[in-house]
Amino acid sequence: MSFIKIYIHLVFSTRNRTPFLNTLDLRIKVWKHIKEYATEKGIFLEMVNGYSDHCHCLISLGSHQNIEKITQLLKGESSYWINKSKLTSEKFSWQDEYFAVSVSESIIVSVRNYIKNQEKHHQKKSFAEEYNAFVEKYNFKT
C-alpha cells in the first residue's frame, strides 16, 4: 500500500473576477456543494472557502490524482450546478487559470486559518492585491 500526503493550496477566480458570489449565504451554499462533490469523487478537500470572486481549496492529493484533473472537476461541476440552480442572475463561470502551490505540513495550520478567514481577510485586501502577493511570493511569471 502506498502512503501519500501531498497538500495543495488551490485558488481559482470567477470569469473576469466578476463578483458573482456576492452574498455570504450564496458562498456558503457553493462551498458546501463543492465539498460534497469532492467527497463524492474521492477528492480529499480538507477546506474550501473564498470570497465574492474567488475560491480557495486545501486538497490532499491521492496516488491516482493530479492537480489539473481535480481542478477541472471542481470548477466544471460547480459552474454547472450554480447555473442549473440559477444561483446567479448572469451565466456563471470560473476563469480558466488557477494557482496551485504545494503546502508543507509544517505550515498547514496557518494555511487552514488563512482559508478559513477569507471573509475577514478580504475586508482589508482585494483579490487583485492577494493575486499580486501570490505571484510575488511564489515567483510566478505573468
Side-chain angles (χ1 to χ4, degrees):
M1 175 175 206
S2 301
F3 296 98
I4 298 172
K5 192 183 286 188
I6 301 173
Y7 285 104
I8 302 295
H9 182 182
L10 172 65
V11 184
F12 47 92
S13 71
T14 58
R15 172 110 27 228
N16 300 319
R17 297 187 190 156
T18 304
F20 286 117
L21 308 173
N22 55 7
T23 68
L24 180 58
D25 181 54
L26 176 56
R27 288 192 290 275
I28 289 170
K29 283 180 189 171
V30 171
W31 309 150
K32 181 177 186 271
H33 178 77
I34 289 173
K35 178 79 168 156
E36 288 169 354
Y37 178 73
T39 300
E40 179 184 310
K41 289 297 185 184
I43 298 166
F44 183 70
L45 176 59
E46 183 172 320
M47 182 163 284
V48 59
N49 200 2
Y51 204 58
S52 61
D53 60 353
H54 67 285
C55 178
H56 289 260
C57 299
L58 180 60
I59 297 167
S60 179
L61 292 178
S63 61
H64 63 287
Q65 297 172 327
N66 68 59
I67 296 163
E68 182 179 18
K69 186 66 176 169
I70 285 175
T71 304
Q72 179 184 42
L73 285 170
L74 296 179
K75 288 168 50 179
E77 197 285 334
S78 61
S79 285
Y80 172 78
W81 178 79
I82 290 166
N83 287 316
K84 182 183 80 166
S85 304
K86 297 180 174 28
L87 297 179
T88 58
S89 58
E90 298 174 48
K91 185 177 191 280
F92 179 88
S93 63
W94 297 108
Q95 194 97 326
D96 291 338
E97 296 81 17
Y98 57 90
F99 283 108
V101 294
S102 60
V103 178
S104 167
E105 197 156 7
S106 64
I107 63 162
I108 205 78
V109 171
S110 44
V111 173
R112 280 185 197 123
N113 287 332
Y114 179 77
I115 294 172
K116 184 171 78 177
N117 292 309
Q118 283 294 294
E119 296 290 328
K120 190 182 338 176
H121 173 73
H122 286 293
Q123 290 172 359
K124 299 175 194 158
K125 191 182 230 182
S126 71
F127 180 64
E129 293 169 317
E130 181 179 53
Y131 172 92
N132 291 332
F134 266 55
V135 167
E136 189 174 315
K137 179 177 183 177
Y138 296 106
N139 202 25
F140 286 123
K141 306 290 183 231
T142 56

